């Protein structure tokens, strides 16, 4: 994976992350606790992937 591919994947992941945060806020206001929990788990996985990609970028 080259620098540009990593940067593109990071940008895409960040956009998805922001979208999921908005989804969580909507779910919280409508009282869907179980769905919020699953969405928060997705955010955690995204954060881990971002950390991995940022490390790859730093290693280049």
């Amino acid at each position: 994976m080259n620098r540009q591919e990593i940067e593109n994947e990071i940008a895409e992941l960040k956009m998805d992350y922001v979208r999921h945060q908005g989804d969580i806020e909507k779910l919280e206001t409508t009282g869907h606790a179980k769905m919020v929990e699953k969405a928060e788990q997705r955010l955690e996985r995204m954060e881990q992937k971002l950390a991995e990609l940022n490390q790859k970028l730093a290693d280049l």
Side-chain angles (χ1 to χ4, degrees):
M1 191 178 269
N2 67 32
R3 181 175 204 80
Q4 187 62 43
E5 290 172 330
I6 294 171
E7 289 174 346
N8 288 343
E9 192 169 342
I10 288 172
E12 185 178 321
L13 205 50
K14 285 181 178 180
M15 286 188 291
D16 287 344
Y17 189 91
V18 170
R19 184 175 52 81
H20 280 295
Q21 282 180 319
D23 292 347
I24 287 174
E25 289 176 16
K26 290 175 188 172
L27 290 170
E28 286 175 335
T29 60
T30 57
H32 293 89
K34 288 188 180 192
M35 293 175 85
V36 169
E37 188 176 317
K38 289 180 182 179
E40 286 174 342
Q41 290 171 353
R42 276 193 300 263
L43 286 182
E44 288 176 17
R45 288 191 300 271
M46 288 178 165
E47 289 169 358
Q48 291 170 350
K49 181 68 174 176
L50 276 171
E52 291 171 14
L53 291 170
N54 283 317
Q55 185 60 50
K56 284 183 181 180
L57 197 58
D59 291 344
L60 291 179

